[in-house]
Amino acid sequence: MAPFLDPLLIVALALNFVALGVSRIRGVINAVALQGILLGILALFVHSEIGIRGILLVGGTICLKGFVIPRFLVHALREANIQHEVTPVVNYMNSILLGAVGTGLAMVFSSTLPLADTHKGLLLVPASLATVWTGFLMLTTRKKAIMQVLGYLLLENGIFLFGLLLLEAMPLLVEVGVLLDLFTGVFVMGIIIHHISREFASISTEHLTELKE
Amino acid sequence: MNTIIHDSVHVVLAFSLPPLLLGVIAKTKALFAGRVGPPLLQPYYDLFKLFQKGSVYSTTTTWVFRAGAVVGFVSAGIAVLLIPLSGSAAPISFTGDLILFAYLLGLGRFFTASAALDTGSAFEGMGAAREVTFACLAEPAFFLGLLVLAKLSGSLQLSGMLGSSLATHWANAGDSLALVLLSWFIVLLAENSRIPFDDPNTHLELTMIHEVMVLDHGGPAFGMILYGAALKLFVFGALVVRLAVPMTVGSAWLDWPIFVAGLLVVAVVIGVVESTMARLRLTRVPVLLVAACLLSAFAIILLVR
Amino acid sequence: MTELLVVLAIGICASSGVPGLFLRRDSMTGQWVTTVLSVLGAALGIGAIFAFWATGLSRPIALPWSIPGAEFDVAMDGLSAVFLMPIFLVSLLGNVYGLGYWRQTEHPQNGRRLRFFYGTLTAGMALLVIARNSILFMVAWEIMALSNFFLVTTEGHKSEVRDAGWMYLVATHVATLCLFALFAVLHVTNGSFTLVASSQRAGSSGTAAAIFVLALVGFGLKAGVMPLHIWLPSSHAASPSHVSAMMSGVVIKMGIYGLMRVTSFLGAPSLEWSAVVLGLGVVSGVLGVVYAIGQHDVKRLLAYHSIENIGIIVIGLGLALIGRSLGRADWIVLGLAGSLLHVWNHALFKALLFLSAGSAIHAAHSREIDHLGGLSKSMPWTSLCFVIGAVAICGLPPLNGFVSEFLIYIGLFHTLGSTGGTSFVWAAFAVPILALIGALALACFAKAYGAVFLGTPRSEHATHAHESPQSMLWPMGVLVVCCLVIGTAPTVTMPILGRAIADWAPGLGDADSILAASAPIGRVGVMGLVLILGTLLGGIALWIRNRRQSVERGTTWACGYVAPTSRMQYTSSSFAQMVVGLFGWVLHPTIRKPKDFPLFPAPTSFHSHVPDAVLDFVVLPIFRFAAWLFSWFRVFQRGNIQAYLLYVFLALIALLLWS
C-alpha cells in the first residue's frame, strides 16, 4: 500500500514495548496516546480516496485516543492521588520478553493465515495481533485499575489495526461504534477507579478480592 | 587513493581522533549546561599528562593489574584496524573478522575486570561485575545487528557489510537498518558506559560501571585505559556512522571528511543524550539492553520472515 | 598397523595399574611403575595416531569372538583418531599430575585403586572409539562407565561422594539401557551388529525416529546435554581433580562420539530432528553457563561449564546435521569442523582448568570460591595456567577456544545465505545465543579467576598456600602450549579435521578445500600472533615508562578508608548476583538474608544457593513419587517364607492359566 506503512507500524510495535517496559504510569499513558495518534495517521495513509467524512472520523479518533482519553486518565491520576509506579505482577523485563514472544508468535501465526494476496507481506496483521497481545498482557499483569484501562486502549488499538485491513468492507462507522464503546468504558472505569480509591485508599485491584464475601 | 595511503590515513585517524570525541562530548554537555567547558583538546592534554606521571600500585596487585591496562588498550587498538572507516576496506579484513572484532573487545573486558578484582576493592569488584553483566546483554544485540547486515550484504567481512553497497539497502530494507541503527546506538552507550547507563563525569566512587572499575589505576597505566576507552568509543561510533551514512561520493578526499563529520555528529548526539537524560536506575539498565536486543531481533525477523 | 599399535597401547594402559596392586601401600614405587607404564602406553597410542595421520593407512583387525553376533572388530578412521587423541593425551598428563596431587604415601587407602581404574578408564574409552562392532562397543562402554564410577567414588568414605557416585551410576545405566535398545533396533534394521556405514537408510521414519531418540537420550546422558545433565556437576565435584579433568575433558565426549558415529551411518536425517539437536545445544549452552555463574564450588562451576561447552559442540553438530538434511556442504563442513575442534579444545582447556583448580584446592584445602583468594601471589604458575585456561574457555583470541567458536559462528552465519526452498534461516538465531554464551562465560570466569586467585586471601589456608610441585605444573604447561599452538597455528588441525569430516559424511567432496574457502583459519592464527606481540610490546612500553617515572606501592584505594580487610572484598556471590537475578526465572536461587535491621544489629548472615532445577524440581520429585508408589508393594514383603512360597505357587498357577 503506502511506503510509510511499515515504518509507522514498526514504531507502533516499539510503542507496545515502551508501554510494557516503562515504570511510570504517565509514560505508559503517553506511549498509548502516541500509538493512538499514529494509528489515526496510518488510516489516512492506507486509503488514498478517503473522503471528507473519513478525514473527519480519523480526526475524531486521533482526538479521542490521542488527547481526550489520555487527558482524562492523567486527570484521574491526579485526582485519585495515584502513585506513579506501575506495580507490575510480572516484572518489566519479563513483561517485555513475554511481549516479544507474543510478537514473534504473531509474526509466525499471521504468515499462516489465509489472507488476501494484497495483505500477504504486510506487517499490518502481525502488528495488530501483537498489539492485542500486549493489551492482554497489560490487563493481566498489572495491579492498578488505571493500567487496566490502558490495557483496553491497547486492545482497541490492535482491533483498529485489524480493521484497517477491511476498510472497504467495514465502514468507519463500525469503528466509530467501537470507539464510542471504549469511551464509555473508560468513562465507567474512571468512575470505578474513583470509587475504589475512595473506598480502599488505593487503586490496586487486589483489594477487589475483598469484595467476594 | 591507493591502498597504502588509504591504510595510513585509516591508522592516523583511528589513533588520533578518539580523544577528540571525548572533548566534543564534554563541550556539548558544557554548552547545554551554559558553561564554557574544557577546551576541545583537553583529553589530549590529560593523556599527555598521565603518561608523564609516576604510578602508585596497590600492594595487593599482581601482574594481572598491569595486564588489564595493556590488554584493554591493545585489543581496542587492533579492533580499530578491523572496521571500515570510509567506503573502502579496513587495513585488516578477512571473512569472519566481525567475530574477531567482538571477541577482541571481550578480551579487553576480561582483563580490565580481572585487573579490577586484583585490587581486592569492593568498589572495583562492583564495577567489574556490572561491566561484564551488562556486556552479556549488549553482545547479543550487537550480533543480531550483524546478522541483519550479513543477510543484506551476503558478506561476512565488516568491510563488505558496512561497505558502500549498504546505501542501496537503505532503500529496500530501511526499516530493518533503522532498527539496527537504534539498537547499535544503545549498545554504543552501554559499551562505553555513557548516560543513561553510567555517568562517566563523576569520576569517583559514585560512578557505577567503568570509571569505578579503574579506580585504582594511575599514571601511564591509567592513560592506557583512558586511551583504550576512547578507542572503544571511536570504534562503536565508526560502526554507527558507517551504518547511518554508508554512501560514498567516489572521491576518497571527500569520503574521509564526511566520515569525520559523521563521527563528530555522533559525539554531539551522545552529548545531547547525556545532557537531556538522567542516569537509569541500575535495576532498569537490563530492560533497556533487552529492548536493544529486541530491536535488532525484529530487524532480522522483518528480513527473513 | 596403526590399529595394532593402538590395541597394544590399550593393553598397556589397561594393565598399568596392576603391578601397583601387588606393591607396598606406603611406598611410591607402585605409583612410579604405574605412571611410567601408562605414559608409555599413552605415548605409544599418540604415536600410532600420528602414524595414522601421516600415512592415512588403516588395517582393521577382526577376530572372532564366542559371543553370538560379536566380533573383536576394530578399525581406525578420521573420526576415531580425533577422539583418540585427547583420551591418550589427558590420560598421560593426568597420571603425571597424580604423582604430585594424589601421592600414594598420602593416600595409602585408595591411591592404588584410583590408578588402576584410571588405566582401565583410558583403555575402555580408547577401545570404544575404535570398536566397529556394537557388542564390543557396549563392552567398552561398560568398562568405561564402571571404571569411571570407581574413580568418582575414590573418597567413598564421604557421604557426598557416595551420593554423587550413586547418581552417576543410575544415570550411566539409564544410558546403557538406551544403547542396548538402540543397537537392538539397529540390528533389526541393518541385520548386523557392525558399526559401519551401510548403503541402506535405517528403516521407516518411525524406526529412524526411534533410533534418533534412543541415541539422543543414551549418548546425551553421557555427554551431559542439558536436561540430561543431572549426574554431571556432583560427580565432577566429588572426584579428585585429575579424574575430573579426565571426565570433563574426555569421558563426556564419548557421548558426542557416539552421536557422531551413529549419525554418520544413518544417512541424511530429517530436518526436524536436526533442528532438535541444534535446539538441545542452544539450551545446554545457555543454561549450562547460567548455572555455572551461580555456583560457589569451583569444581561444580567448572562442571557446569562442561555442560555449556557440550552445548557449543552440539550446536556445531546440529548445524552439520541440518546441512546434511538440506544437502548443504558448507554447513556440514563448518559445523562439524567447529564441533570436532571444540571437542579437542574443550579437552585441552577444561583439563587445564581442572588441573590448575585442583592445584589451588590442593594448596588451600577448600573448593569454596569464597574461601579462597589471593592465590596469585603464592602460586604464580598455577594462576597463570588458570587464567590461560579461562581465556581459552571464554573463546577469546588468541587461544584455541576462539578458533572452534569462529568456525561454528561462520557456519551459522552461512545459514543466512539461503537459496530457495532449502533454507533453514532460523539456525542463524544461534549466533546471538552463542554471543550470549560467550559473554556469560566471560563473566563467570572473571568471577572465578578474580575470586580464587586475585585480591587478598579470604581464609587461613589460602594465606599459607604454596606453589604445587613440578610434577603438577608440567602437565599444565603442556596443556598451555597445546592451547597456544591451536590458537596461533590452527591450520595444522585442518587436514585432520578434513579427514574426520570426510569419514563422517562420505561423498561430500573435498572437505579441506571447502573449509579453506569459507573460513580463513590461517588469518585467525596470524591475528592471534599479532595480538600476543602487541600485548608484549604494550607491556614493555608500560614497563619502560614505569622505570623512568617513580613507582610507589600503597594500599588499595578504598575511598578514604585506610585499613581495608580481605572480608571487604567483593565476593564471588556478589559478583554473580546480577546475572543470577536476571536469570532468576530459570535458576530459582534460594537466598536467606537478614530481614530486619534492629537498632542494635546482632551478628547476621547471608546465604545463597542455586539448586539444579532439573534435578531438584523434576527428577527428584518424580523419584519420590515413584518411591511412594512402590511403597505399596511392601505389603507383599511379608518376611516369612510361607508367604513367598505362596507367591511362587500363585505365579505358577497364573502362568498355567495364561497358556
Side-chain angles (χ1 to χ4, degrees):
Chain A
M1 293 186 202
F4 291 107
L5 196 60
D6 273 7
L8 280 179
L9 281 172
I10 287 170
V11 176
L13 274 176
L15 283 171
N16 281 341
F17 290 102
V18 173
L20 283 177
V22 164
S23 63
R24 285 165 65 90
I25 295 182
R26 276 297 286 273
V28 184
I29 294 177
N30 287 342
V32 175
L34 194 58
Q35 197 180 43
I37 298 173
L38 214 65
L39 298 190
I41 297 172
L42 208 66
L44 288 178
F45 275 116
V46 171
H47 285 272
S48 38
E49 64 283 352
I50 192 155
I52 187 76
R53 204 187 53 161
I55 290 178
L56 276 180
L57 284 173
V58 166
T61 316
I62 292 179
C63 211
L64 203 57
K65 282 202 287 201
F67 300 101
V68 178
I69 296 181
R71 189 63 61 80
F72 184 73
L73 288 173
V74 171
H75 182 74
L77 205 62
R78 206 173 323 129
E79 284 297 299
N81 268 331
I82 299 170
Q83 294 263 316
H84 291 289
E85 273 288 309
V86 168
T87 58
V89 181
V90 176
N91 70 25
Y92 301 111
M93 173 80 87
N94 289 352
S95 309
I96 289 189
L97 286 176
L98 276 176
V101 169
T103 311
L105 286 180
M107 294 229 174
V108 174
F109 179 67
S110 61
S111 63
T112 61
L113 282 179
L115 295 170
D117 282 341
T118 46
H119 302 148
K120 261 283 157 38
L122 285 180
L123 260 182
L124 212 51
V125 182
S128 138
L129 292 176
T131 312
V132 170
W133 165 251
T134 315
F136 271 123
L137 267 181
M138 191 80 96
L139 279 173
T140 47
T141 63
R142 299 291 188 264
K143 279 184 195 156
K144 289 186 174 154
I146 196 163
M147 295 302 292
Q148 257 89 48
V149 179
L150 288 164
Y152 281 123
L153 275 173
L154 277 174
L155 215 61
E156 205 280 335
N157 281 348
I159 296 166
F160 180 85
L161 271 177
F162 210 85
L164 285 182
L165 270 188
L166 315 165
L167 213 52
E168 290 95 355
M170 187 172 87
L172 281 173
L173 212 60
V174 180
E175 169 62 21
V176 172
V178 176
L179 217 56
L180 199 67
D181 282 352
L182 187 80
F183 189 59
T184 333
V186 172
F187 208 72
V188 173
M189 279 303 263
I191 297 167
I192 291 177
I193 290 176
H194 182 64
H195 280 274
I196 300 176
S197 83
R198 208 178 53 196
E199 287 299 320
F200 300 106
S202 144
I203 57 155
S204 174
T205 46
E206 279 180 329
H207 292 288
L208 291 181
T209 48
E210 290 170 20
L211 293 176
K212 72 182 173 200
E213 273 102 34
Chain B
M1 233 194 301
N2 63 32
T3 327
I4 296 171
I5 300 177
H6 175 88
D7 286 354
S8 30
V9 172
H10 183 114
V11 172
V12 169
L13 268 189
F15 285 97
S16 64
L17 216 48
L20 182 64
L21 297 183
L22 295 175
V24 170
I25 294 176
K27 200 73 178 172
T28 313
K29 287 171 78 172
L31 289 180
F32 259 81
R35 295 179 279 116
V36 177
L40 274 178
L41 299 182
Q42 186 62 41
Y44 296 94
Y45 307 147
D46 287 349
L47 283 177
F48 186 72
K49 185 184 69 189
L50 281 171
F51 282 115
Q52 300 302 319
K53 278 189 146 187
S55 352
V56 182
Y57 288 108
S58 162
T59 43
T60 320
T61 56
T62 57
W63 62 271
V64 177
F65 185 72
R66 292 154 208 238
V70 174
V71 175
F73 168 69
V74 170
S75 56
I78 297 180
V80 88
L81 299 177
L82 292 171
I83 44 165
L85 298 184
S86 74
S88 12
I92 303 172
S93 172
F94 55 92
T95 307
D97 54 2
L98 54 145
I99 301 157
L100 181 67
F101 170 78
Y103 275 66
L104 272 174
L105 296 181
L107 183 74
R109 198 184 321 127
F110 179 83
F111 274 95
T112 1
S114 297
L117 290 169
D118 200 19
T119 61
S121 147
F123 291 103
E124 299 197 28
M126 247 175 248
R130 288 163 186 170
E131 170 106 351
V132 295
T133 306
F134 295 150
C136 293
L137 296 171
E139 204 99 303
F142 180 65
F143 270 91
L144 279 163
L146 286 178
L147 276 184
V148 171
L149 294 181
K151 174 77 187 165
L152 283 175
S153 66
S155 160
L156 289 182
Q157 303 187 16
L158 282 172
S159 297
M161 295 160 93
L162 292 162
S164 44
S165 67
L166 199 57
T168 55
H169 296 303
W170 268 99
N172 53 33
D175 310 340
S176 293
L177 286 176
L179 286 175
V180 173
L181 184 63
L182 190 57
S183 161
W184 276 13
F185 189 69
I186 298 177
V187 170
L188 180 153
L189 295 176
E191 286 276 352
N192 293 291
S193 310
R194 313 300 306 190
I195 290 176
F197 294 93
D198 188 15
D199 188 350
N201 250 20
T202 53
H203 272 305
L204 260 178
E205 300 81 5
L206 294 174
T207 331
M208 295 193 298
I209 309 172
H210 187 79
E211 292 289 338
V212 70
M213 190 167 74
V214 297
L215 203 58
D216 225 62
H217 287 275
F222 187 55
M224 277 186 162
I225 289 208
L226 271 193
Y227 194 21
L231 277 172
K232 206 170 157 188
L233 180 67
F234 176 87
V235 160
F236 278 98
L239 286 178
V240 168
V241 171
R242 284 305 308 161
L243 187 56
V245 199
M247 50 288 281
T248 46
V249 186
S251 153
W253 298 114
L254 268 174
D255 285 341
W256 283 108
I258 289 177
F259 167 77
V260 173
L263 208 56
L264 294 179
V265 169
V266 168
V268 170
V269 171
I270 296 173
V272 172
V273 168
E274 297 218 329
S275 307
T276 52
M277 284 187 80
R279 192 170 74 185
L280 278 179
R281 232 164 64 206
L282 199 63
T283 46
R284 309 270 299 146
V285 165
V287 179
L288 187 55
L289 284 172
V290 166
C293 288
L294 291 179
L295 287 174
S296 288
F298 280 118
I300 181 75
I301 287 178
L302 281 177
L303 277 186
V304 301
R305 90 198 146 96
Chain C
M1 179 60 190
T2 51
E3 281 82 355
L4 206 62
L5 284 178
V6 172
V7 170
L8 194 65
I10 291 173
I12 297 176
C13 282
S15 53
S16 65
V18 177
L21 293 177
F22 301 100
L23 287 165
R24 285 171 59 87
R25 248 173 206 222
D26 52 359
S27 87
M28 288 292 288
T29 324
Q31 181 156 20
W32 276 106
V33 171
T34 306
T35 307
V36 168
L37 271 178
S38 61
V39 167
L40 272 179
L44 184 64
I46 292 173
I49 301 164
F50 274 112
F52 170 75
W53 283 332
T55 60
L57 292 178
S58 149
R59 192 165 298 156
I61 305 173
L63 301 172
W65 202 358
S66 56
I67 302 169
E71 215 178 12
F72 190 84
D73 185 2
V74 297
M76 264 301 242
D77 67 355
L79 204 58
S80 302
V82 166
F83 279 88
L84 264 183
M85 193 66 191
I87 296 176
F88 284 124
L89 183 69
V90 177
S91 165
L92 188 157
L93 297 175
N95 263 307
V96 176
Y97 183 86
L99 277 176
Y101 182 74
W102 208 264
R103 294 171 68 83
Q104 176 63 32
T105 45
E106 286 168 21
H107 298 274
Q109 294 303 322
N110 47 33
R112 300 188 298 181
R113 193 181 91 169
L114 171 74
R115 285 189 302 280
F116 176 74
F117 286 115
Y118 212 81
T120 51
L121 177 68
T122 312
M125 284 191 291
L127 187 59
L128 181 76
V129 295
I130 56 170
R132 290 294 176 274
N133 176 288
S134 50
I135 292 178
L136 183 65
F137 186 95
M138 287 306 295
V139 169
W141 182 270
E142 274 305 290
I143 293 176
M144 168 185 82
L146 290 178
S147 317
N148 200 348
F149 168 72
F150 288 113
L151 287 173
V152 170
T153 54
T154 301
E155 294 181 287
H157 54 278
K158 298 180 183 166
S159 74
E160 52 150 355
V161 172
R162 281 199 304 277
D163 287 348
W166 178 239
M167 190 137 68
Y168 167 79
L169 198 64
V170 172
T172 195
H173 277 102
V174 173
T176 308
L177 206 64
C178 288
L179 295 192
F180 266 121
L182 168 69
F183 289 127
V185 175
L186 277 178
H187 181 71
V188 170
T189 50
N190 291 346
S192 85
F193 282 113
T194 324
L195 284 177
V196 287
S198 56
S199 53
Q200 70 194 98
R201 278 193 58 178
S204 64
S205 61
T207 331
I211 290 173
F212 222 88
V213 170
L214 285 170
L216 262 186
V217 175
F219 292 124
L221 258 170
K222 181 50 79 182
V225 176
M226 192 52 175
L228 308 171
H229 69 283
I230 44 165
W231 61 272
L232 197 145
S234 54
S235 57
H236 278 60
S239 322
S241 290
H242 55 316
V243 175
S244 313
M246 191 77 164
M247 284 172 75
S248 179
V250 190
V251 177
I252 59 174
K253 305 296 162 32
M254 295 301 115
I256 300 292
Y257 168 76
L259 267 181
M260 284 189 180
R261 180 60 72 191
V262 168
T263 47
S264 75
F265 56 77
L266 276 187
S270 72
L271 182 60
E272 291 79 19
W273 285 115
S274 312
V276 165
V277 174
L278 184 73
L280 277 177
V282 164
V283 170
S284 308
V286 176
L287 294 188
V289 64
V290 167
Y291 273 107
I293 289 187
Q295 302 306 313
H296 302 304
D297 174 337
V298 64
K299 285 178 79 177
R300 272 184 84 88
L301 180 144
L302 292 177
Y304 273 111
H305 270 288
S306 303
I307 299 172
E308 172 229 322
N309 279 285
I310 285 291
I312 296 176
I313 293 169
V314 172
I315 289 177
L317 178 61
L319 176 64
L321 285 172
I322 290 172
R324 217 163 159 175
S325 309
L326 298 175
R328 300 290 300 254
D330 49 343
W331 302 4
I332 298 178
V333 170
L334 287 166
L336 202 69
S339 189
L340 285 171
L341 190 58
H342 207 71
V343 165
W344 270 20
N345 290 342
H346 182 243
L348 293 172
F349 55 63
K350 188 46 76 64
L352 175 62
L353 283 167
F354 264 117
L355 294 188
S356 47
S359 168
I361 294 164
H362 190 67
H365 303 287
S366 175
R367 299 199 318 239
E368 282 289 312
I369 298 176
D370 283 333
H371 290 173
L372 301 168
L375 296 180
S376 202
K377 279 198 264 323
S378 46
M379 315 177 71
W381 294 111
T382 304
S383 161
L384 183 66
C385 290
F386 192 91
V387 75
I388 288 176
V391 170
I393 198 174
C394 295
L396 296 172
L399 294 173
N400 54 353
F402 179 68
V403 181
S404 41
E405 287 196 23
F406 181 85
L407 287 170
I408 295 177
Y409 265 120
I410 299 275
L412 290 172
F413 267 111
H414 270 233
T415 59
L416 280 173
S418 52
T419 49
T422 61
S423 74
F424 189 69
V425 84
W426 300 111
F429 280 85
V431 166
I433 291 177
L434 213 51
L436 175 71
I437 294 173
L440 283 168
L442 195 153
C444 188
F445 274 95
K447 158 192 144 159
Y449 181 61
V452 174
F453 289 98
L454 303 178
T456 51
R458 292 183 176 83
S459 69
E460 194 62 19
H461 280 307
T463 316
H464 300 301
H466 50 90
E467 185 59 280
S468 298
Q470 301 242 333
S471 58
M472 284 162 76
L473 293 177
W474 277 108
M476 293 191 246
V478 172
L479 290 167
V480 165
V481 170
C482 291
C483 286
L484 272 171
V485 166
I486 296 186
T488 52
T491 34
V492 294
T493 61
M494 289 305 126
I496 297 166
L497 297 179
R499 161 115 214 200
I501 294 164
D503 285 333
W504 186 73
L508 187 68
D510 187 6
D512 277 349
S513 59
I514 297 178
L515 203 55
S518 40
I521 281 300
R523 295 296 290 273
V524 173
V526 173
M527 288 309 292
L529 282 175
V530 168
L531 184 59
I532 294 175
L533 206 68
T535 309
L536 285 179
L537 282 178
I540 292 170
L542 183 63
W543 182 68
I544 292 174
R545 211 56 248 172
N546 277 339
R547 264 174 62 100
R548 297 227 179 111
Q549 314 296 340
S550 70
V551 173
E552 292 168 42
R553 310 285 293 186
T555 47
T556 298
W557 172 243
C559 304
Y561 190 71
V562 286
T565 71
S566 64
R567 298 206 39 172
M568 290 178 193
Q569 289 178 92
Y570 217 47
T571 60
S572 73
S573 325
S574 324
F575 196 89
Q577 183 243 344
M578 278 192 88
V579 180
V580 172
L582 278 180
F583 288 90
W585 48 280
V586 54
L587 293 179
H588 299 288
T590 51
I591 292 173
R592 277 206 311 272
K593 55 183 175 188
K595 281 209 177 60
D596 48 0
F597 295 94
L599 209 51
F600 298 103
T604 182
S605 68
F606 174 89
H607 168 93
S608 75
H609 171 64
V610 172
D612 193 308
V614 180
L615 181 65
D616 288 4
F617 303 135
V618 180
V619 175
L620 285 183
I622 289 175
F623 271 60
R624 259 182 241 126
F625 177 71
W628 172 81
L629 213 59
F630 288 127
S631 67
W632 291 100
F633 285 93
R634 273 202 216 135
V635 179
F636 300 106
Q637 193 188 10
R638 288 281 166 205
N640 55 350
I641 188 85
Q642 287 86 348
Y644 294 139
L645 287 174
L646 181 67
Y647 297 155
V648 172
F649 185 65
L650 286 178
L652 215 61
I653 301 263
L655 281 174
L656 277 174
L657 287 178
W658 182 274
S659 54

